[in-house]
């Protein structure tokens, strides 16, 4: 099986590996991290990973061409969808979740990172 080129880019692996290390630390290591990292790191790293997965699906199964990139309107839509769902609706549906405006900002910064470094033809 051939690994899609999108998964081989350092700009994809860096957020993914940092997120995995962050989760391992949170579950097992308990190494103290600054509050800003604990609060917003996973939100910042989520969008590059999610959007890369979406790009791979679009290229392989929908558009079937490696030159396809996600349009800016789709990036904006993905950011809005994730922000509204996780920061507005989910907190209304579950007491376990809380909404935070700065989480939406972190999703936006992650989306901009994706747009700049990952949303390119293969």
């Amino acid at each position: 099986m051939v690994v899609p080129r999108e998964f081989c880019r350092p700009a994809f692996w860096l957020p993914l590996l940092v997120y995995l290390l962050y989760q391992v630390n949170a579950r097992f290591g308990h190494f103290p991290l600054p509050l800003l990292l604990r609060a917003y790191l996973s939100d910042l790293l989520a969008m590059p990973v999610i959007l890369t997965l979406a790009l791979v699906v679009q290229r392989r199964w929908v558009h079937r061409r490696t030159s396809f990139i996600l349009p800016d309107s789709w990036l904006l839509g993905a950011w809005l969808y994730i922000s509204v769902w996780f920061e507005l609706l989910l907190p209304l549906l579950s007491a376990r979740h809380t909404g935070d405006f700065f989480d939406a900002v972190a999703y936006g910064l992650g989306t901009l990172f994706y747009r700049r470094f990952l949303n390119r033809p293969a």
Side-chain angles (χ1 to χ4, degrees):
M1 181 173 155
V2 176
V3 175
R5 279 186 240 160
E6 296 84 0
F7 295 156
C8 298
R9 293 182 175 172
F12 171 74
W13 280 107
L14 181 64
L16 183 62
L17 289 175
V18 170
Y19 178 77
L20 292 174
L21 289 172
Y22 172 76
Q23 290 301 318
V24 166
N25 180 59
R27 305 279 191 268
F28 306 111
H30 307 292
F31 180 78
L33 295 173
L35 179 61
L36 281 175
L37 285 180
R38 286 188 314 229
Y40 303 112
L41 183 62
S42 60
D43 299 324
L44 181 68
L45 301 173
M47 293 307 285
V49 174
I50 291 168
L51 292 169
T52 298
L53 294 173
L55 180 64
V56 169
V57 168
Q58 289 293 317
R59 283 182 178 170
R60 299 304 180 278
W61 296 326
V62 178
H63 296 279
R64 297 178 189 230
R65 59 180 213 268
T66 58
S67 62
F68 177 78
I69 61 170
L70 297 178
D72 287 345
S73 60
W74 291 22
L75 300 179
L76 178 63
W79 171 73
L80 282 172
Y81 178 83
I82 295 291
S83 296
V84 168
W85 175 250
F86 285 105
E87 305 309 322
L88 291 177
L89 298 178
L90 199 56
L92 293 174
L93 300 173
S94 171
R96 292 181 53 211
H97 299 90
T98 58
D100 181 358
F101 169 79
F102 291 108
D103 284 346
V105 172
Y107 294 135
L109 292 173
T111 302
L112 291 174
F113 175 88
Y114 171 82
R115 183 180 185 268
R116 172 69 175 94
F117 296 106
L118 291 166
N119 198 27
R120 301 174 179 278

